[in-house]
Each structure stands twice: as structure tokens, then as C-alpha cells.
């Protein structure tokens, strides 16, 4: 390691350690490297602008954020919840199952775990804790756990970012996320059923079957969004970025005209909030672009690939080690930072070992999402705490069972690449 890189890393971890936002910390640390190595400091701006303006795919990120915020602001969430209650509310631990199913459906619209937790989460936690049907900690914990599904089932902002750093097909990544998302939903429902049976949580009043078509009809337009999105990409009608624009426009038409649940004032607030969220992601992306330039300048990915392939490490062992690392990093770093800064180091090794990059990408995203609920710094734990006021200690006390089954699902996905890649291969992916 060169002295310049060592000083860069010291500056990066030092700034992050004192609470500097990670995007700013990366940029300032990069300036330290460029200054110490005698390079032009203007390279920072040049590399950031080249990366941002040279990647049409990044435009999908703010568009998906807008679509998610519109879905949260309208009455769409309420209609989806009523549909989920009608379908699975009748079983033991019904509202827990509704929580999981609602996240599975909403993930096909937002692509954001935080949007899922802050939007649907607040509503359904109120339903679960009403009249003491579920404890506050349990309701908050299962809501945080189910929100991790958001970026797995398409659309997915983290998968868009992974496609940026790996040159993988976004369409293949989106399709590859569907089965893992369903697996995660299945294990969470299973754990909810076991806990609900043991603690005697009540069933909900069954919705008469004759009312199911009416409830489904009200939610049907919203349920069409993921179908439109995937058909646009795989039907050759749109690029992934254009599909994101279609998703945002469809959400706007649905909320404003079909459901009549969106005012001009609310729309303005949505655009402002979406701009802020997009800018926050953009700062991290910009910092990662210049840091990736530094990493490549130091030839770190090639050296890492040569060292690992020289050891003749088995691909499965490599996947397990990387996933353990990502799981640990997920306890302290957000998914965007992991995908943009850490993951590119391992891409050349994956290619050298013959690991499919779409499979690897899905594993990284699933792993990063699990990190969002890993104590003590899981972001989703803080989001739920902020929107509901439920103490963190109550949430953390209940999160461990759900964390365990999600890790078990991750191990299954690591060992079963054919399960992850089955759906993309059906649609012609050659990996």
C-alpha cells in the first residue's frame, strides 16, 4: 500500500468516525490522496462529472424514488393493505402475514427499503399494535425485516447501482431478484406463523370471499405496475431507465386521476423530498466514482484478483467469504456505499473464478439489505424508531428471529445459483 493510499484511508475512516456523511468523507479523503500524489485536484470534479453524465442508467434512481414517494403519498398503500388483509389476514398471525405480503407487493413499486418501512410500515404497525393485538417491539421488528425485501423484487435502486459498477444486465438482475424476494417473504411468513402460534396472536376477522373481487379490483391498477415495468424492459419496449420514467408517470396518473388522492401541494412536497433523496444518493455516487478511480490507479482489483486466484480458492468459498465480509460491513455502512465502493474490488475475481455476475449481484443486494436490520446500527431500525417512536431496545429484542431466517435464506441462495438464475434464463439470459 502506498503512503498516499494509506493517508486516504486514514482520512476516510477518521472523517466517517466523527460522523461526517459518507459521501463527503469519501470526497475529502480523495482530495488527500490526489494532493499527496501530486495529481490535479480538479480530477475530483472531472471524474464525478464523467461518471454522472456518462451513465444514462443512473437517471433511473431519482425516477424510482419519485415513483415510490407518489405511491406512499396517495391512497394506494391503503388499497394494497386491504387487499393483503383479504388474502392472508384470516391465518394465524394474520397481520404479520399482511405485513410481509404488503412488502412483497410494494417492493414491486418502490425499489427502496426505507420507503417501504417509512410508508407502509407506519400504517401497518399502527394496525398491529391497536388494542394490544401485537407487542410494539414485535410489530416494529417484523416491519423492519419485511422492508428488506423492497430492493430485491424489481424495481431495485441497489441493483441499478450494481449494474453500473459491474456492467451487468439490469433486466437480468431485476428478474433474478424475484425468486429470492419470494424466498425471503416465505421464510419471514414461516417465522411469523411459528411465533404467532407460540404466543397466541389472534387471527383477523376473515373477509368474505364474495368481497374479494371488489377489494382486488380496487388494488388491481396498483398491482399492474411491476408487470408494466418488466414487460417494458423484456418486451423490448423501453430501456430500464425509460421503464423507470414510465413507472413514475404511471404512479402519478394513478394517484392523481384514478384514485384522486394527490393535490398540487402534496405533489410539490413529493418532488422536493425526492430531489433531496436523489441528491443524497448522488453525493455517495460521486464520492464512489472518484474513489474507484483511486482504487484502479493503485491497481488494487487486479492485485486482489491475482492473489485470490493464485491461491486456487474455490468459487463457493470465495462467495462465502465475501458474503461474510459484506454482512459485517452492512452493520456499519449503507448498501449504496457497499455496492459502489467495496463490491467493485471483487468483480475481477468473480470473473476469473467463473462466478456469474448476476448471481453475485443478487447476493450482494440481499446481504446489504440484511445489514439494514442488523443491530446496533441497522438503518431500518432507526427509521422505524423515528416514524413510530417505539424504543430501539424493544425492536432489537424482537429482530433476532427474523434476522436468523433471512441469513438462512441468504445461505440457501449462495448454494443455489440455479434458483436465482432460473427466471432470467427462462427469458433468454445466457449466464
Amino acid at each position: 500500500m502506498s503512503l498516499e493510499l494509506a493517508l486516504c484511508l486514514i482520512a476516510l475512516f477518521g472523517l466517517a468516525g466523527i460522523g461526517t456523511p459518507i459521501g463527503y468523507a469519501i470526497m475529502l479523503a480523495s482530495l488527500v490522496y490526489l494532493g499527496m500524489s501530486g495529481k490535479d485536484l480538479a480530477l475530483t470534479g472531472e471524474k464525478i462529472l464523467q461518471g454522472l453524465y456518462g451513465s444514462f442508467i443512473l437517471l433511473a434512481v431519482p425516477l424510482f424514488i419519485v415513483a415510490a414517494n407518489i405511491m406512499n403519498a396517495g391512497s394506494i398503500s391503503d388499497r394494497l393493505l386491504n387487499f393483503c388483509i383479504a388474502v392472508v389476514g384470516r391465518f394465524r398471525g394474520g397481520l404479520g402475514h399482511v405485513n410481509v405480503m404488503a412488502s412483497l407487493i410494494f417492493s414491486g413499486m418502490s425499489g427502496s427499503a426505507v420507503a417501504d418501512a417509512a410508508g407502509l410500515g407506519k400504517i401497518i404497525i399502527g394496525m398491529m399494535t391497536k388494542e394490544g393485538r401485537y407487542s410494539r417491539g414485535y410489530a416494529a421488528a417484523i416491519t423492519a425485516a419485511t422492508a428488506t425485501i423492497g430492493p430485491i423484487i424489481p424495481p431495485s435502486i441497489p441493483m441499478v447501482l450494481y449494474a453500473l459498477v459491474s456492467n451487468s444486465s439490469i433486466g437480468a438482475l431485476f428478474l433474478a431478484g424475484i425468486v429470492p424476494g419470494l424466498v425471503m417473504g416465505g421464510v419471514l411468513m414461516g417465522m411469523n406463523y411459528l411465533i404467532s402460534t407460540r404466543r397466541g396472536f389472534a387471527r383477523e376477522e376473515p373477509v368474505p370471499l364474495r368481497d374479494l373481487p371488489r377489494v382486488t379490483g380496487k388494488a388491481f391498477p396498483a398491482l399492474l405496475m411491476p408487470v408494466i415495468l418488466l414487460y417494458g424492459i423484456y418486451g423490448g419496449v423501453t430501456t430500464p431507465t425509460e421503464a423507470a420514467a414510465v413507472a413514475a408517470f404511471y404512479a402519478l396518473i394513478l394517484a392523481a386521476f384514478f384514485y384522486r388522492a394527490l393535490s398540487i401541494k402534496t405533489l410539490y412536497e413529493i418532488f422536493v423530498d425526492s430531489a433531496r433523496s436523489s441528491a443524497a444518493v448522488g453525493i455517495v455516487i460521486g464520492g464512489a466514482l472518484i474513489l474507484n478511480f483511486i482504487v484502479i490507479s493503485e491497481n488494487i482489483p487486479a492485485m486482489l484478483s491475482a492473489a485470490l486466484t493464485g491461491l486456487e480458492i474455490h468459487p463457493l468459498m470465495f462467495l462465502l467469504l465475501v458474503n461474510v465480509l459484506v454482512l459485517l460491513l452492512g452493520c456499519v455502512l449503507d448498501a449504496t456505499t457497499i455496492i459502489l465502493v467495496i463490491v467493485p474490488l471483487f468483480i475481477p475475481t468473480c470473473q476469473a473464478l467463473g462466478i456469474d455476475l448476476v448471481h453475485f449481484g443478487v447476493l450482494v443486494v440481499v446481504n446489504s439489505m440484511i445489514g439494514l436490520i442488523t443491530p446496533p446500527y441497522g438503518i431500518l431500525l432507526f427509521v422505524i424508531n423515528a416514524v413510530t417512536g417505539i424504543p430501539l431496545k424493544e425492536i432489537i429484542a424482537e429482530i433476532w428471529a427474523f434476522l436468523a431466517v433471512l441469513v438462512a435464506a441468504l445461505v440457501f441462495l449462495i448454494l443455489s445459483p440455479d434458483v436465482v438464475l432460473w427466471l432470467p434464463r427462462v427469458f433468454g439470459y445466457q449466464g
Side-chain angles (χ1 to χ4, degrees):
M1 181 184 297
S2 66
L3 174 62
E4 294 85 356
L5 182 60
L7 292 174
C8 174
L9 294 176
I10 291 171
L12 173 59
F13 290 116
L15 289 167
I18 62 174
T20 306
I22 190 66
Y24 295 121
I26 293 172
M27 289 184 184
L28 291 172
S30 300
L31 289 175
V32 171
Y33 175 88
L34 294 174
M36 293 300 298
S37 60
K39 292 183 171 64
D40 187 354
L41 296 183
L43 271 174
T44 303
E46 179 186 341
K47 292 298 177 183
I48 291 173
L49 291 176
Q50 283 179 353
L52 292 177
Y53 288 119
S55 180
F56 183 61
I57 192 177
L58 282 179
L59 187 58
V61 175
L63 290 170
F64 282 137
I65 290 174
V66 169
N69 287 340
I70 292 174
M71 285 290 185
N72 269 330
S75 63
I76 299 170
S77 299
D78 296 334
R79 296 170 191 271
L80 290 175
L81 280 176
N82 289 335
F83 170 72
C84 295
I85 291 171
V87 175
V88 297
R90 66 190 70 237
F91 303 111
R92 173 72 68 182
L95 282 180
H97 297 317
V98 169
N99 203 328
V100 178
M101 185 175 178
S103 288
L104 284 169
I105 295 173
F106 197 75
S107 64
M109 303 170 193
S110 72
S112 168
V114 173
D116 192 346
L120 275 179
K122 185 176 181 179
I123 299 171
I124 200 165
I125 287 173
M127 293 169 59
M128 293 182 72
T129 55
K130 186 178 180 181
E131 299 174 356
R133 285 183 285 186
Y134 295 79
S135 67
R136 295 187 307 173
Y138 184 82
I142 192 172
T143 301
T146 59
T148 61
I149 302 172
I152 310 302
I153 293 179
S156 168
I157 293 172
M159 285 187 184
V160 171
L161 299 178
Y162 175 79
L164 174 69
V165 300
S166 68
N167 290 320
S168 300
S169 163
I170 293 184
L173 284 165
F174 279 6
L175 285 173
I178 293 175
V179 173
L182 295 175
V183 169
M184 293 169 69
V187 298
L188 290 173
M189 279 188 168
M191 180 54 69
N192 174 64
Y193 179 79
L194 290 175
I195 294 175
S196 298
T197 301
R198 189 171 71 243
R199 299 187 187 180
F201 291 150
R203 293 180 174 89
E204 300 306 303
E205 188 69 28
V207 174
L209 292 179
R210 65 177 179 275
D211 292 341
L212 191 57
R214 176 180 55 82
V215 175
T216 304
K218 289 183 177 180
F220 184 73
L223 297 173
L224 278 179
M225 180 182 279
V227 177
I228 293 171
L229 192 73
L230 289 176
Y231 174 76
I233 295 173
Y234 265 89
V237 180
T238 64
T239 66
T241 302
E242 290 166 348
V246 171
F249 181 71
Y250 181 74
L252 178 60
I253 296 299
L254 207 58
F257 299 107
F258 190 85
Y259 291 135
R260 299 182 183 276
L262 205 59
S263 65
I264 296 296
K265 180 182 177 182
T266 304
L267 185 60
Y268 172 77
E269 292 171 351
I270 287 171
F271 286 153
V272 171
D273 184 55
S274 299
R276 287 173 176 161
S277 299
S278 300
V281 175
I283 289 170
V284 178
I285 292 172
L289 289 169
I290 183 62
L291 188 59
N292 287 342
F293 166 75
I294 292 171
V295 167
I296 292 171
S297 298
E298 293 283 327
N299 203 33
I300 292 174
M303 289 190 295
L304 184 63
S305 177
L308 291 173
T309 52
L311 292 174
E312 295 185 354
I313 188 170
H314 192 277
L316 179 58
M317 181 58 65
F318 172 78
L319 279 179
L320 290 171
L321 292 174
V322 170
N323 275 276
V324 169
L325 175 63
V326 172
L327 196 59
L328 294 174
L329 290 174
C331 299
V332 293
L333 295 176
D334 63 275
T336 301
T337 304
I338 292 172
I339 291 169
L340 293 176
V341 178
I342 307 299
V343 169
L345 298 175
F346 301 111
I347 298 296
T349 307
C350 287
Q351 293 171 322
L353 294 175
I355 296 171
D356 185 88
L357 291 184
V358 170
H359 178 223
F360 183 68
V362 171
L363 295 179
V364 166
V365 174
V366 171
N367 206 329
S368 300
M369 293 307 103
I370 294 174
L372 296 179
I373 62 167
T374 305
Y377 299 114
I379 293 172
L380 288 179
L381 304 181
F382 290 99
V383 170
I384 297 292
N385 166 256
V387 300
T388 65
I390 298 173
L392 274 174
K393 64 179 182 180
E394 293 184 25
I395 304 174
I396 292 174
E398 298 279 9
I399 200 67
W400 298 107
F402 299 113
L403 186 60
V405 294
L406 286 176
V407 171
L410 174 64
V411 173
F412 169 74
L413 296 174
I414 292 172
L415 299 175
S416 310
D418 290 336
V419 172
V420 177
L421 297 175
W422 169 72
L423 198 52
R425 286 170 177 164
V426 169
F427 283 85
Y429 177 65
Q430 299 300 315

